[in-house]
Amino acid sequence: MTVALITHPACLAHDPGEWHPECPDRLRVVLRALEHEMFLPLLRETAPEATEDQLGRVHPPSYVAAILGISPAPGEHVSLDADTVMSHGSREAALRAAGGAMMGVDAVMQGWAHRAFVATRPPGHHAERHTPMGFCLFANAAIAARHAQAQWGLARVAVVDFDVHHGNGTQDIFAADPSLFYGSSHQYPCYPGTGAASETGVGNIVNATLAPGAGSGAFRAAWRERIIPALDAFAPDLLIVSAGFDAHKADPLAQLRVETEDFGWLTQELMTVADRHCGGRLVSVLEGGYDLEALAASAALHVRTLLLG
Ligand SMILES: [Zn+2]
């Protein structure tokens, strides 16, 4: 299968500060792992900058202008909340992270790739319409979903999210719109506090909660028994994946016990769903993952599965 790898060096220049877990080395180790010869078949593409109009499909223009107006000098930082920090390079990184996610959609819709992996940062799934949050500035996956509808006329778009944290931003953006589906497995209770099973939107939100300490069995059951059946019932025209690897047992930010191999298993399951409903069209967007070794191994297995499946 033809798989696009979409990234940009500007995403390495977003610097939330020394000791911040969402560090440039996260992306560095992922890209280094993808230099292995088994990844030579990847179609390597450069993420474009999102336009303000494209961001405006999800965020109010005043929010887009406010974020893009924050322009710290080199070496300076501006904190938007306790976790979310902008540096000199953040503006371009955020534009290319959102633009890369949309390019992934274009790749699978134009047909020059069957699947895409968007290796960018900052991540996006905590950014709400009006609020930056949890290391996230723009809601990259949701922006890609809206792009698929606006640019390509797709009726039904699903975002599924296996990051260990609940994607409160994606849920916030999707909850009232039955043309969009959001399904997430996440540790609960945990940051950001949302994602109870009772949060169901207009019947288009599925939150599968996992107790701290849950491992492979509970993780796979959440997908097999809760999220994938609902996703099948929704029957998306495109599947977007918020791919965070911080449910891994080695991750320092949460307490799940997911193994590297579980990410390969889930990737295969999601590819099968995409084959059933939408000609295999699947766009995966990097979210979290904070143990560098586990992140690199898990992301590499994810992309290898996308290539070989
Ligand atoms: Zn996370």
Side-chain angles (χ1 to χ4, degrees):
M1 283 292 170
T2 309
V3 178
L5 171 63
I6 299 167
T7 185
H8 195 284
C11 293
L12 297 167
H14 164 57
D15 164 29
E18 210 176 349
W19 311 118
H20 196 291
E22 206 289 280
C23 59
D25 278 348
R26 296 183 56 246
L27 181 54
R28 258 183 217 113
V29 300
V30 169
L31 294 175
R32 193 174 305 139
L34 298 180
E35 284 170 11
H36 189 280
E37 63 179 14
M38 75 173 73
F39 296 109
L40 281 175
L42 290 172
L43 294 180
R44 290 160 194 270
E45 294 291 335
T46 300
E49 292 189 4
T51 67
E52 293 190 34
D53 284 348
Q54 290 170 329
L55 299 171
R57 294 174 183 143
V58 162
H59 301 286
S62 58
Y63 176 85
V64 173
I67 295 293
L68 297 181
I70 298 170
S71 174
E76 288 184 358
H77 293 90
V78 173
S79 292
L80 308 186
D81 66 18
D83 307 309
T84 314
V85 181
M86 289 181 71
S87 70
H88 185 65
S90 301
R91 183 183 187 280
E92 183 179 351
L95 287 172
R96 293 197 186 275
M102 286 185 281
M103 185 190 217
V105 172
D106 292 341
V108 301
M109 294 309 301
Q110 289 163 348
W112 55 266
H114 296 96
R115 307 177 186 119
F117 181 63
V118 185
T120 51
R121 53 185 289 282
H125 72 154
H126 293 307
E128 299 188 343
R129 278 170 294 183
H130 304 271
T131 315
M133 239 183 98
F135 318 159
C136 303
L137 300 174
F138 297 126
N140 306 322
I143 289 164
R146 285 294 188 211
H147 178 71
Q149 293 184 312
Q151 182 71 30
W152 294 98
L154 297 188
R156 304 161 72 74
V157 181
V159 172
V160 293
D161 184 336
F162 58 76
D163 189 282
V164 79
H165 303 101
H166 180 241
N168 58 291
T170 312
Q171 177 171 298
D172 168 62
I173 294 156
F174 283 21
D177 186 342
S179 74
L180 298 168
F181 173 96
Y182 178 66
S184 171
S185 67
H186 45 273
Q187 180 175 318
Y188 189 87
C190 190
Y191 183 88
T194 53
S198 58
E199 296 167 23
T200 56
V202 289
N204 62 334
I205 306 288
V206 177
N207 285 310
T209 59
L210 297 166
S216 299
F219 180 77
R220 293 190 185 205
W223 286 92
R224 200 169 45 226
E225 295 165 18
R226 299 280 319 280
I227 301 170
I228 289 176
L231 182 59
D232 273 328
F234 179 78
D237 298 317
L238 170 69
L239 183 56
I240 297 172
V241 181
S242 269
F245 298 95
D246 41 8
H248 195 283
K249 63 184 181 184
D251 199 275
L253 263 57
Q255 291 80 41
L256 293 192
R257 307 281 308 157
V258 169
E259 310 275 346
T260 303
E261 292 69 27
D262 294 320
F263 295 114
W265 171 83
L266 179 54
T267 304
Q268 187 68 55
E269 292 293 309
L270 295 175
M271 286 161 40
T272 304
V273 172
D275 287 342
R276 272 201 290 276
H277 298 289
C278 46
R281 293 191 293 256
L282 184 154
V283 177
S284 173
V285 181
L286 181 65
E287 300 281 1
Y290 303 97
D291 178 87
L292 296 181
E293 202 172 314
L295 170 63
S298 302
L301 179 58
H302 176 61
V303 177
R304 192 174 62 157
T305 308
L306 293 178
L307 263 175
L308 299 180

